[in-house]
Amino acid sequence: MPEPSPAVIDLLALLAYGELQAFDQMAGDARLAPDLRRRAMLSEMAAAEMVNYRRLEQRLIGLGAEPEAVMRPFTEALTDYHDQTEPKDWYEALTKAYVGDGIADDFYREVAGFLDEQDQGLVLEVLHDSRYSEFACEEIRSAITADPKLANRLSMWARRLVGEGLSQAQRVAAEHPALAMLLLSDVAEESDIAGLFKRLTAAHTARMATVGLNN
Amino acid sequence: MPEPSPAVIDLLALLAYGELQAFDQMAGDARLAPDLRRRAMLSEMAAAEMVNYRRLEQRLIGLGAEPEAVMRPFTEALTDYHDQTEPKDWYEALTKAYVGDGIADDFYREVAGFLDEQDQGLVLEVLHDSRYSEFACEEIRSAITADPKLANRLSMWARRLVGEGLSQAQRVAAEHPALAMLLLSDVAEESDIAGLFKRLTAAHTARMATVGLNN
């Protein structure tokens, strides 16, 4: 077996710790749910992250990495992101899951194209189940229909999420130049970096519009 | 299909809400973990509760019950149990999972014998995976070996867990006489109630001894 690229291990470690942290965040957010049915739904979304976490952890072990050691460099940026974007109510929590998972999934889908077949398959498989984003989408949309003022507040909230996410992503890139270089140089070969950001932004804008939010 | 017994629906609803509440508790307790590996392990234990929750919820729907409505009568007793037994550190959290899951599983295993085949199978399948109790067992045992004074504190903690658990169980029984009667009368026919409690106590004492705790 060829020596795995450190950047691939970094990428899988980032993804793995992201799942663990998302689990923690969503499990806590489930307490904001207005009823048991919705609480169960968000708890189940959280639990699904752990199934994915375990698969990524197994793959890291298979590549000869020690999961804890390779995840540790990413804990601070992801913890800071979640600490800076603590939802104050159910709709902020759902918007965070909807917006954040959407961008993260689009990003990993782009990145997956540069991995070997096995890791590509794994990354595509741990993307979020679409029925969860459909649930979040439906909840946000009907809440905005019932209370149109909510759209302003949640639009601002979504902008804050994206801003904080970008600033932590820049930090990760600065702290992991090899990972950043590999991702960006692969992207640069195939298409161009501006194009990647354009695609991510367009998809995000479309998702916002779908639920009645402004970018 | 014969009309399902209200007591069977109560039992499945109690079990379902127990899973949802245990998920919430363990997901929060995972923050007490001393490292990422252990945090992931407890998060995974929590996530497993949601898989079981979903199966019980589906069965309740299949029996024509509205899950939220049938779970609601049990929320207070289970929430109170968890509020009264909030772990202060990693070892209290693990002892709670180890002791609580152990007694709960023994109890449901006894009760399963009085259900029809389908529900019996379901109840036996949603018992906790033994590798989680092995993990908790190993953690507690090695912590006590390293610091024998811990045994006293955790033994007292376990007694408090059992005391609080029994008091909430009595409350559930008092508030759901039909459920209590059904369980106890079925037990009474087959063996005797004193025998049931004797078996549960003996198994609990054995589990405590396994990790080096006194009953």
Side-chain angles (χ1 to χ4, degrees):
Chain A
M1 196 174 73
E3 189 73 12
S5 141
V8 168
I9 288 183
D10 272 357
L11 182 74
L12 297 175
L14 172 62
L15 198 41
Y17 188 71
E19 304 275 3
L20 193 54
Q21 190 66 29
F23 164 81
D24 178 72
Q25 178 68 42
M26 282 193 208
D29 290 350
R31 296 184 180 198
L32 299 169
D35 57 41
L36 284 177
R37 183 182 70 79
R38 291 179 171 90
R39 175 175 149 194
M41 191 69 190
L42 201 64
S43 301
E44 199 191 353
M45 287 169 73
E49 308 276 356
M50 286 311 297
V51 177
N52 291 339
Y53 168 79
R54 195 52 81 185
R55 298 190 60 187
L56 291 159
E57 188 199 38
Q58 288 310 312
R59 176 64 182 147
L60 283 168
I61 293 170
L63 288 170
E66 206 281 279
E68 191 166 354
V70 293
M71 286 193 297
R72 205 175 296 113
F74 299 106
T75 56
E76 227 174 294
L78 278 159
T79 304
D80 281 0
Y81 169 71
H82 286 291
D83 285 352
Q84 296 294 328
T85 57
E86 193 71 56
K88 269 186 292 298
D89 66 18
W90 175 242
Y91 295 105
E92 289 193 1
L94 277 186
T95 302
K96 180 170 170 177
Y98 176 72
V99 165
D101 292 355
I103 295 177
D105 285 355
D106 283 345
F107 174 72
Y108 288 119
R109 215 177 274 118
E110 295 263 358
V111 164
F114 308 117
L115 300 174
D116 67 27
E117 208 175 320
Q118 183 178 2
D119 290 319
Q120 179 169 20
L122 177 60
V123 169
L124 292 176
E125 280 166 35
V126 301
L127 297 180
H128 296 86
D129 192 323
S130 63
R131 78 197 154 96
Y132 297 132
S133 71
E134 280 154 23
F135 165 73
C137 178
E138 208 39 69
E139 285 280 301
I140 300 166
R141 195 160 45 187
S142 59
I144 288 175
T145 307
D147 173 14
K149 281 198 308 279
L150 192 60
N152 270 332
R153 178 160 72 87
L154 292 181
S155 297
M156 276 178 56
W157 169 244
R159 284 194 287 275
R160 218 180 102 198
L161 293 171
V162 172
E164 188 62 36
L166 278 177
S167 105
Q168 295 302 336
Q170 280 162 4
R171 172 172 163 189
V172 167
E175 288 170 358
H176 303 269
L179 173 62
M181 287 305 289
L182 181 111
L183 293 180
L184 294 182
S185 65
D186 277 345
V187 171
E189 264 176 43
E190 293 269 329
S191 56
D192 66 305
I193 296 159
L196 167 70
F197 281 103
K198 218 179 266 178
R199 289 193 298 280
L200 293 178
T201 306
H204 168 66
T205 305
R207 266 191 303 274
M208 295 279 279
T210 303
V211 294
L213 296 178
N214 303 310
N215 204 13
Chain B
M1 194 175 74
E3 188 73 14
S5 140
V8 168
I9 287 182
D10 272 357
L11 181 73
L12 297 175
L14 173 62
L15 197 41
Y17 188 71
E19 304 275 4
L20 192 54
Q21 190 67 29
F23 164 81
D24 178 72
Q25 178 69 41
M26 282 192 208
D29 291 350
R31 297 183 179 199
L32 299 169
D35 56 41
L36 284 177
R37 184 184 70 80
R38 291 178 169 92
R39 175 176 149 194
M41 192 68 190
L42 201 64
S43 301
E44 199 191 354
M45 288 169 73
E49 308 276 356
M50 285 311 297
V51 177
N52 291 338
Y53 169 79
R54 195 53 80 185
R55 299 190 58 186
L56 290 160
E57 188 199 39
Q58 288 311 312
R59 176 65 182 147
L60 284 168
I61 293 171
L63 288 169
E66 205 283 278
E68 191 166 352
V70 294
M71 286 193 297
R72 205 175 294 114
F74 300 105
T75 57
E76 228 175 294
L78 279 159
T79 304
D80 281 0
Y81 168 73
H82 286 291
D83 285 351
Q84 296 294 325
T85 57
E86 193 72 54
K88 268 186 292 297
D89 65 19
W90 174 242
Y91 295 106
E92 289 192 2
L94 277 187
T95 303
K96 181 170 169 177
Y98 176 72
V99 164
D101 291 355
I103 296 177
D105 285 355
D106 283 345
F107 174 72
Y108 288 120
R109 216 176 274 116
E110 294 263 358
V111 163
F114 308 117
L115 300 175
D116 66 29
E117 208 173 319
Q118 182 178 3
D119 290 318
Q120 179 170 18
L122 177 60
V123 169
L124 292 177
E125 280 165 35
V126 300
L127 297 181
H128 296 86
D129 192 324
S130 63
R131 79 197 154 97
Y132 297 132
S133 72
E134 280 153 25
F135 165 74
C137 178
E138 208 37 68
E139 286 279 301
I140 300 166
R141 195 160 45 186
S142 59
I144 288 175
T145 307
D147 173 14
K149 283 199 307 280
L150 192 61
N152 270 334
R153 177 160 73 87
L154 292 182
S155 296
M156 276 179 55
W157 170 244
R159 284 195 286 276
R160 217 180 104 198
L161 293 171
V162 172
E164 189 62 35
L166 278 178
S167 107
Q168 295 301 338
Q170 280 163 3
R171 173 173 161 188
V172 168
E175 288 170 358
H176 302 269
L179 173 62
M181 288 304 290
L182 181 111
L183 294 179
L184 294 181
S185 65
D186 277 343
V187 172
E189 263 176 44
E190 292 269 329
S191 56
D192 65 305
I193 296 159
L196 166 70
F197 282 102
K198 217 178 267 178
R199 288 192 296 280
L200 292 179
T201 306
H204 168 64
T205 306
R207 266 191 304 274
M208 295 279 280
T210 302
V211 293
L213 297 178
N214 303 310
N215 206 11

